Amino acid sequence: MHEARPLRAKSPRGQHAEGELLTDHSLTTLRRANTVAARIGHLPIAHHRFATWLRAAAFLHDTGKVAYGLQRQIGNTLESAEVWGERHEVLSLGFLPTVLAALPREEILWIATGVVAHHRPLTGGEGRHRALFPLYARDSAEDFARRFGRIDADAVQDLTVWLHTTAVATGLIPDGPPPGLTPDTLLKDTHALFGELVDRWEWPLEPEDDADGLTAVLLQGGVTMADRMASARTPVHQNHPLTPTYRQRLEQRLRAKGYSLRPHQTQAANTTGHVFIRAWTGSGKTEAALLWALRNLQDMTASGRGTPRVFYLLPYLAAINAMIRRLEEGELQATGQVGASHSHAASYYLSRALEDECTTDTEALAAARKSLAQENATRLFRELIRVGTPYQPLRGALAGPAHSSVLLDTANSLFILDELHAYDPRRLGMILAMMSFWERLGGRFAIVSATLPDALQEAIRGALNQHVHLIQPPEGTVFPRRHRLLIRDTTLSSDEAATEMTGRLEAGEALLVVANNRPNARALYRKLGSIARRVHGEQDAAIMLHSRYRRDHRATIEDRIRARYHNGRKDRKGGVLVATQTVEVSLDVDFDTIHTACAPMDALCQRFGRVNRSGTRPPADVVVHTPAYLPRRGETGLFADGVYPKEPVTLAWQILRRHHGEVIDESVITEWLNEIYSNTPESWGAAWRDEIEQTTRNFTYAFLTWNEPFRDRSELKDDFDAMFNGKEAILTADQTEYARRLATDDGRRPGRLLAEDLLIPVAGNTPTTWNEHIKVDIIDAEYDEENGLGTVRN
């Protein structure tokens, strides 16, 4: 390269006077592609040369930046910077026929596919103006060449020699004499190869070529992943935190308490392939799932499946954050090696960074910057264990430059699905469609639940091709009988219910109250909160939790709940927690009694699991109240407290009434679930199956069909997000503070992160007003830190 003007890949950043050298970035991206290829391993659906194509495409992806116009745009010439207006990834194609001349043309075409697709979609959709093919496909060779402007001959030749020499040294191509390349040949080869790509990918593929479409998307994902990793300059984990020492530590911990591994844990530790893990709450299902993951990680690595990522998937945000702490600080002793993979990841890390109680703007900004580095590292696939909702890996189905890397990252991965809900057939259908796809990419699954109805097992087995082993306590095992079921024909908000719950608080009990909706929870909290505080003389004797708090306020509430009601506390305290369904999953808390509105049986089981959690006390009362059946805006039929469809709740209520006064356990509840989901003609269970099948087909057709692998799918993003029916807004009163935080750090992303702590999750159909200046939805509503969101006024 000429010392007077070495080619650069980037504009100057930070304190650097010059941008990164093009050769340095190309080599770094190749090294990151090596990491990606090693992590992913052999893909069961891809060509055996896939890793080579990925590495070559990553290495050559930015070579089109040789153009003078691009160098001027990034400030690497003596002239003032100005926008070039052309696409460097297109010009990069021209180097492939010369540098990779030793490879078959078909392989060069695959590598070219990875090069050209790493920034923009190639074809169609409503975002067609962004697509590459319409920009260049109709140009003659002469018009095409003129568009790219001046290209220095010496720069082209020097770069070609360096590329060829490095490609030989890194094993991409066999040894041979360095080739020559002129700007004219570069432009002609670019035009010819671009034309071949148009012929290959502009129109939908035949059905039998769907595998080629998928391979193309995964190749795109690998190049974009390697490029992002290289640009971020952050290290990625290559040594898995889940090692054989985990089992050794677990067994030592159990021996110290006089115990050993339970049979279902030992069985999980020795099973490869898909599994159901069904056992009672508190029986060590999480440990069993990790032992299964360890066994399968070893098996997959030994068979060439790379270094499997472990996705621990949970339904609720509160449970996710608690699970990260549990894995990092307890089970794996791997602080900093477990990623938070959910939409609030940055805020989660920010709350962790702010635990030292820094208060000034400067300190908060520093924490925000640190937090963003952690969030971005997670987004760049740093950690080998991720805890999140199914929503995040599901987004890989959107493909394209933004999401295809998510799709590739799930290949040859291990998925632990904790408490997969059966009663929501739409979301379950989407998850089943993705499970089928992930299995096609080499994935393995552990479905973990205290109750696992036969119908859910059948639905999962129907989605997967390989056998699913059922792991559960041995026949004859007596499940802990922790609960006494009591039925009340009054609603949870009735005066009779309030009188009974008041009596329990007066007796000093730790009482959990679970309402089906937020207005009922707020009303109950007003009734019971003052009583609990009077009895115990402490502010935290009464706490409320639901999903409609500001992010910063919710984090504080969760800490207060853990401090008072954590399972295993020797100095147990009484009081009341009033909550909605957010309390159902994976919160390791322990109460004396629960009063709950009737809900689907699956949800009730999870609510019961927060009571007498360890089973060390006599059976505790679980009191279920009849719900009110109400209409829901925009939908037909009635819903339990306006939330759950009437049919499964009514079926649950009928069963519960039959067993009033009995001592129950999870094995009994599983039998009840089988009755609810039974597949008799015209039953709710039959309708449930039909809706799952329809949703699975629709999702597969819309998102998991690859006959147009490079079509712009941006128009599908809103449809995808709408399936999860939610958005976030700030209060009218917080607009000034939101704008102030946004402006912190000159309006860069750390300031936005600080502002996002003011966001409140709301339903997708909640009336809001868009503030164009600060780019956020505004909600005019009652709100305070203790009670959360109240009446919406606009």
Side-chain angles (χ1 to χ4, degrees):
M1 308 295 293
H2 292 283
E3 294 300 325
R5 188 175 59 83
L7 296 173
R8 305 267 169 195
K10 309 285 184 182
S11 303
R13 296 183 181 179
Q15 304 300 317
H16 299 284
E18 296 178 319
E20 183 182 18
L21 289 172
L22 178 56
T23 51
D24 287 350
H25 180 65
S26 298
L27 193 54
T28 300
T29 309
L30 172 58
R31 289 168 179 159
R32 292 305 196 203
N34 292 340
T35 299
V36 173
R39 274 186 166 196
I40 301 302
H42 170 65
L43 288 172
I45 55 87
H47 192 279
H48 72 280
R49 292 273 291 171
F50 179 87
T52 299
W53 302 342
L54 165 58
R55 295 172 63 237
F59 179 52
L60 296 162
H61 76 291
D62 268 359
T63 50
K65 291 182 177 181
V66 70
Y68 182 85
L70 188 283
Q71 293 298 306
R72 182 177 179 181
Q73 177 176 302
I74 63 176
N76 192 37
T77 69
L78 296 178
E79 299 181 81
S80 59
E82 69 175 19
V83 175
W84 180 39
E86 303 301 330
R87 300 305 309 172
H88 69 271
E89 62 268 36
V90 174
L91 187 59
S92 296
L93 297 173
F95 285 92
L96 273 62
T98 297
V99 175
L100 305 177
L103 300 183
R105 188 68 177 183
E106 179 65 19
E107 292 205 21
I108 292 176
L109 191 62
W110 276 112
I111 295 166
T113 298
V115 167
V116 80
H118 77 274
H119 277 305
R120 287 193 175 191
L122 302 186
T123 62
E126 293 179 5
R128 188 173 175 83
H129 63 282
R130 298 175 57 250
L132 281 184
F133 284 172
L135 291 178
Y136 296 99
R138 305 299 175 245
D139 287 351
S140 66
E142 293 75 16
D143 291 339
F144 185 87
R146 279 194 293 269
R147 293 182 65 159
F148 292 98
R150 173 183 166 188
I151 301 174
D152 184 82
D154 290 334
V156 169
Q157 178 58 28
D158 288 354
L159 180 58
T160 301
V161 171
W162 180 85
L163 291 169
H164 182 272
T165 302
T166 307
V168 170
T170 54
L172 291 175
I173 58 175
D175 197 3
L181 183 63
T182 66
D184 285 344
T185 302
L186 173 71
L187 289 165
K188 289 177 182 177
D189 287 349
T190 301
H191 184 258
L193 191 50
F194 187 81
E196 290 184 62
L197 291 173
V198 171
D199 292 342
R200 181 75 174 95
W201 302 117
E202 185 175 26
W203 302 106
L205 303 176
E206 296 299 326
E208 60 268 21
D209 293 329
D210 186 74
D212 280 357
L214 176 55
T215 298
V217 170
L218 297 176
L219 185 59
Q220 176 190 49
V223 176
T224 56
M225 190 190 306
D227 187 26
R228 290 168 184 170
M229 286 179 173
S231 297
R233 301 181 183 178
T234 55
V236 293
H237 296 168
Q238 299 185 58
N239 297 319
H240 215 292
L242 183 58
T243 69
T245 59
Y246 168 65
R247 178 167 181 170
Q248 296 166 13
R249 288 196 306 270
L250 175 60
E251 291 179 326
Q252 289 172 359
R253 191 173 74 206
L254 292 172
R255 278 197 301 271
K257 298 179 180 180
Y259 300 113
S260 60
L261 291 178
R262 296 181 186 272
H264 65 275
Q265 293 173 324
T266 300
Q267 186 181 354
N270 295 324
T271 303
T272 57
H274 309 318
V275 294
F276 296 118
I277 300 176
R278 178 171 64 188
W280 67 89
T281 303
S283 65
K285 295 191 299 297
T286 297
E287 291 87 345
L290 291 173
L291 290 169
W292 168 84
L294 175 60
R295 176 69 183 91
N296 283 267
L297 190 157
Q298 295 169 327
D299 179 70
M300 292 171 71
T301 299
S303 62
R305 298 293 182 88
T307 305
R309 280 68 60 219
V310 177
F311 292 87
Y312 202 114
L313 303 181
L314 293 158
Y316 299 128
L317 179 62
I320 290 166
N321 295 344
M323 181 58 70
I324 290 173
R325 288 176 181 264
R326 177 175 177 180
L327 293 178
E328 285 193 338
E329 300 167 10
E331 298 297 337
L332 301 181
Q333 297 182 15
T335 300
Q337 297 185 64
V338 179
S341 179
H342 55 72
S343 59
H344 306 285
S347 287
Y348 165 70
Y349 282 123
L350 177 58
S351 68
R352 292 287 296 271
L354 292 175
E355 284 178 352
D356 59 0
E357 298 182 355
C358 59
T359 56
T360 68
D361 279 354
T362 301
E363 290 170 324
L365 179 59
R369 286 173 173 157
K370 176 183 176 182
S371 139
L372 279 165
Q374 291 173 296
E375 178 200 20
N376 288 335
T378 298
R379 288 181 174 176
L380 295 172
F381 317 102
R382 177 185 176 188
E383 296 91 356
L384 292 166
I385 297 182
R386 328 263 175 77
V387 181
T389 65
Y391 176 70
Q392 289 304 313
L394 272 170
R395 284 186 70 86
L398 287 171
H403 299 101
S404 55
S405 50
V406 176
L407 205 65
L408 179 67
D409 192 49
T410 59
N412 284 334
S413 290
L414 295 167
F415 300 86
I416 300 171
L417 291 90
D418 198 344
E419 303 301 349
L420 184 63
H421 287 162
Y423 57 79
D424 185 344
R426 286 185 67 249
R427 295 196 184 189
L428 179 58
M430 288 185 280
I431 292 171
L432 292 177
M434 283 304 300
M435 288 175 68
S436 177
F437 177 73
W438 287 330
E439 182 189 48
R440 187 180 172 191
L441 294 183
R444 297 182 185 180
F445 303 93
I447 296 88
V448 182
S449 182
T451 58
L452 202 60
D454 293 347
L456 180 56
Q457 293 185 53
E458 292 166 6
I460 292 171
R461 285 193 168 105
L464 301 174
N465 289 319
Q466 299 173 27
H467 178 66
V468 187
H469 305 272
L470 176 60
I471 295 175
Q472 59 185 350
E475 187 175 350
T477 299
V478 177
F479 280 44
R481 298 171 67 78
R482 298 178 296 153
H483 305 131
R484 177 183 295 104
L485 175 64
L486 300 175
I487 300 303
R488 301 290 185 257
D489 288 323
T490 55
T491 64
L492 189 64
S493 57
S494 67
D495 291 340
E496 295 87 344
T499 299
E500 184 175 0
M501 289 186 284
T502 298
R504 294 184 183 278
L505 291 174
E506 297 279 6
E509 292 187 14
L511 173 65
L512 174 61
V513 179
V514 184
N516 286 338
N517 63 43
R518 182 169 42 86
N520 286 354
R522 286 168 57 92
L524 287 162
Y525 185 65
R526 287 193 295 269
K527 287 182 182 179
L528 301 173
S530 59
I531 299 169
R533 293 189 177 106
R534 173 178 56 78
V535 170
H536 294 281
E538 298 175 288
Q539 182 67 21
D540 275 356
I543 304 174
M544 180 165 60
L545 176 67
H546 53 72
S547 61
R548 305 298 192 234
Y549 285 96
R550 273 179 26 179
R551 292 186 186 180
D552 51 352
H553 294 160
R554 176 167 179 151
T556 300
I557 291 169
E558 291 170 4
D559 287 341
R560 291 166 57 201
I561 294 170
R562 281 190 290 268
R564 191 173 188 92
Y565 299 114
H566 191 271
N567 183 33
R569 282 185 63 102
K570 295 181 180 179
D571 56 336
R572 300 185 72 252
K573 294 183 177 181
V576 63
L577 170 63
V578 181
T580 58
Q581 61 266 36
T582 54
V583 80
E584 288 174 12
V585 178
S586 293
L587 288 180
D588 193 16
V589 290
D590 184 23
F591 291 85
D592 294 317
T593 309
I594 182 174
H595 278 251
T596 176
C598 192
M601 190 70 77
D602 322 49
L604 289 175
C605 180
Q606 297 307 315
R607 297 177 188 185
F608 295 168
R610 313 308 124 189
V611 177
N612 195 10
R613 188 160 176 80
S614 299
T616 56
R617 303 188 298 276
D621 291 345
V622 292
V623 185
V624 184
H625 294 259
T626 187
Y629 291 102
L630 308 169
R632 192 160 69 184
R633 185 168 53 186
E635 299 190 47
T636 59
L638 296 176
F639 298 80
D641 295 320
V643 175
Y644 298 107
K646 179 179 180 180
E647 291 82 357
V649 178
T650 300
L651 291 169
W653 180 250
Q654 292 170 353
I655 293 172
L656 294 171
R657 285 183 63 86
R658 299 202 307 260
H659 297 278
H660 170 67
E662 295 181 7
V663 175
I664 62 172
D665 58 42
E666 278 97 335
S667 64
V668 172
I669 293 178
T670 298
E671 295 174 8
W672 297 348
L673 285 167
N674 288 338
E675 179 180 339
I676 291 171
Y677 289 100
S678 63
N679 191 18
T680 55
E682 299 185 4
S683 66
W684 181 80
W688 174 84
R689 286 169 173 79
D690 290 343
E691 188 168 359
I692 287 176
E693 292 174 3
Q694 184 64 43
T695 301
T696 302
R697 284 195 301 269
N698 291 347
F699 188 87
T700 299
Y701 177 77
F703 296 102
L704 299 175
T705 302
W706 309 106
N707 65 326
E708 295 182 87
F710 297 119
R711 178 173 61 87
D712 183 2
R713 292 189 172 200
S714 58
E715 78 275 11
L716 294 177
K717 181 179 179 296
D718 290 342
D719 293 340
F720 186 89
D721 291 341
M723 295 176 184
F724 293 85
N725 191 30
K727 59 184 178 180
E728 291 180 302
I730 64 169
L731 298 165
T732 301
D734 283 340
Q735 290 180 89
T736 300
E737 175 63 10
Y738 189 88
R740 187 191 72 80
R741 295 188 185 191
L742 275 182
T744 307
D745 199 31
D746 297 325
R748 291 193 287 268
R749 183 67 176 92
R752 179 166 292 277
L753 175 59
L754 291 172
E756 287 174 353
D757 240 5
L758 303 177
L759 290 169
I760 302 170
V762 295
N765 60 358
T766 302
T768 58
T769 302
W770 179 252
N771 185 315
E772 181 61 30
H773 177 62
I774 53 178
K775 308 295 185 184
V776 70
D777 280 307
I778 308 297
I779 186 170
D780 182 13
E782 297 175 355
Y783 183 89
D784 64 74
E785 185 172 349
E786 180 181 0
N787 295 284
L789 191 67
T791 302
V792 177
R793 289 187 284 263
N794 55 335

